[in-house]
Amino acid sequence: MMHLILFIVFAGLCLAGAINLLLQTHPINSALSLVVVMSSLAVLYLLLGAEFLAAAQIIVYAGAIMVLFTFVVMLLSAGREEHTMGSGVVRILGFPAVAVILGVIA
């Protein structure tokens, strides 16, 4: 039963990250959404019992490739960053979501 709950949570997180990746206009935010997708895929691999594949997913894709991608995006970005107050959705949903995920993991 716990595997099913974890699968539903991380599959939903993966889908939400993928949709957020497509909807973002700033490339750095898209790269961070892709990190969320890769990390949740690694958890799904862990649930399937593929520990090596999950570790490779984190180390190779979420680690090295995304650092390289973020470096290239920041290097090629000619525009100046605008400072915002942040997203209201993050303030409303972010902290409770983190608390729920940490509670499930604990």
Side-chain angles (χ1 to χ4, degrees), residues 38-39 41-43 45-46 50-66:
M38 295 297 172
S39 301
L41 280 177
V43 173
Y45 289 145
L46 279 176
E51 291 85 9
F52 177 75
L53 197 56
Q57 181 82 17
I58 292 293
I59 293 169
V60 175
Y61 291 112
I65 300 298
M66 291 312 301

Side-chain angles (χ1 to χ4, degrees), residues 11-98:
L13 189 64
C14 185
L15 287 174
I19 291 170
N20 191 27
L21 174 97
L22 296 175
L23 295 179
Q24 288 294 325
T25 57
H26 199 272
I28 297 296
N29 294 339
S30 293
L32 291 175
S33 293
L34 194 55
V35 168
V36 169
V37 171
M38 295 297 172
S39 301
S40 59
L41 280 177
V43 173
L44 293 177
Y45 289 145
L46 279 176
L47 290 174
L48 289 172
E51 291 85 9
F52 177 75
L53 197 56
Q57 181 82 17
I58 292 293
I59 293 169
V60 175
Y61 291 112
I65 300 298
M66 291 312 301
V67 166
L68 180 65
F69 180 71
T70 306
F71 178 74
V72 169
V73 165
M74 293 178 79
L75 185 66
L76 295 179
S77 178
R80 186 174 172 96
E81 285 285 325
E82 73 243 10
H83 295 286
T84 62
M85 294 301 292
S87 174
V89 175
V90 172
R91 290 193 180 117
I92 294 170
L93 296 177
F95 294 119
V98 168

